[in-house]
Amino acid sequence: MKNVIKKFTKVALVFTFVFACTATAYAYNTKFSFDLTSGMFSPWKYSSEAYKYSADENPVVECTYVEPSDATFTYDIVNSNDESRVVAFSAEGTFATREFERNTTVQNKKYRLRVKRDSGAWNSSANTQGTWNIDSY
């Protein structure tokens, strides 16, 4: 009876490990943080640069904090020449990890996340914080 329990425990542990590895293999990895404030005299704010390692991964972004909470921002990925390399999108408030569409980033180049406040009075500023990654792995 002890051998049956030991075998069952080993099989259960192996199954749990394989399932955990499989379940997390497709999770987005947002490893670079950003804390950007956009206001009236500087509409676009930029994160630090990130180096693209993969050839076929898409950029991703997650917003974890916005002040004021109903502020709308546009999120974009740009190269070193300040040229957009994805389809930028606007979002109000916070949001879960989101993948950019029509990615034209190139392996072995540096990119930055840029954000712009789209809502609020012309003389106000707003803050957005979160994480992003140029590669979604």
Side-chain angles (χ1 to χ4, degrees):
M1 185 67 170
K2 286 185 179 183
N3 286 341
V4 171
I5 293 173
K6 282 184 178 181
K7 283 186 178 184
F8 178 77
T9 303
K10 286 181 182 178
V11 169
L13 287 173
V14 168
F15 176 75
T16 303
F17 176 75
V18 169
F19 178 75
C21 290
T22 303
T24 58
Y26 298 104
Y28 292 134
N29 179 14
T30 54
K31 63 183 177 180
F32 303 111
S33 63
F34 64 90
D35 181 355
L36 304 170
T37 300
S38 179
M40 70 176 162
F41 292 116
S42 53
W44 287 107
K45 289 296 185 173
Y46 296 84
S47 70
S48 56
E49 290 182 328
Y51 187 79
K52 183 160 181 72
Y53 290 101
S54 71
D56 57 354
E57 298 285 334
N58 290 333
V60 293
V61 64
E62 174 185 23
C63 178
T64 57
Y65 175 82
V66 172
E67 183 59 42
S69 60
D70 63 344
T72 301
F73 284 90
T74 297
Y75 297 85
D76 195 9
I77 300 292
V78 295
N79 63 13
S80 58
N81 294 328
D82 206 30
E83 299 166 331
S84 181
R85 291 290 155 212
V86 295
V87 175
F89 68 88
S90 293
E92 179 180 329
T94 61
F95 54 88
T97 305
R98 183 170 172 177
E99 187 174 7
F100 285 93
E101 296 179 11
R102 287 199 316 225
N103 167 33
T104 59
T105 56
V106 179
Q107 185 179 13
N108 300 324
K109 300 290 181 180
K110 292 181 181 180
Y111 297 92
R112 295 181 292 169
L113 171 73
R114 73 175 177 177
V115 299
K116 175 179 71 166
R117 179 182 55 88
D118 289 336
S119 63
W122 67 271
N123 61 347
S124 66
S125 63
N127 178 263
T128 180
Q129 298 173 18
T131 55
W132 74 287
N133 195 350
I134 192 64
D135 294 312
S136 58
Y137 60 83

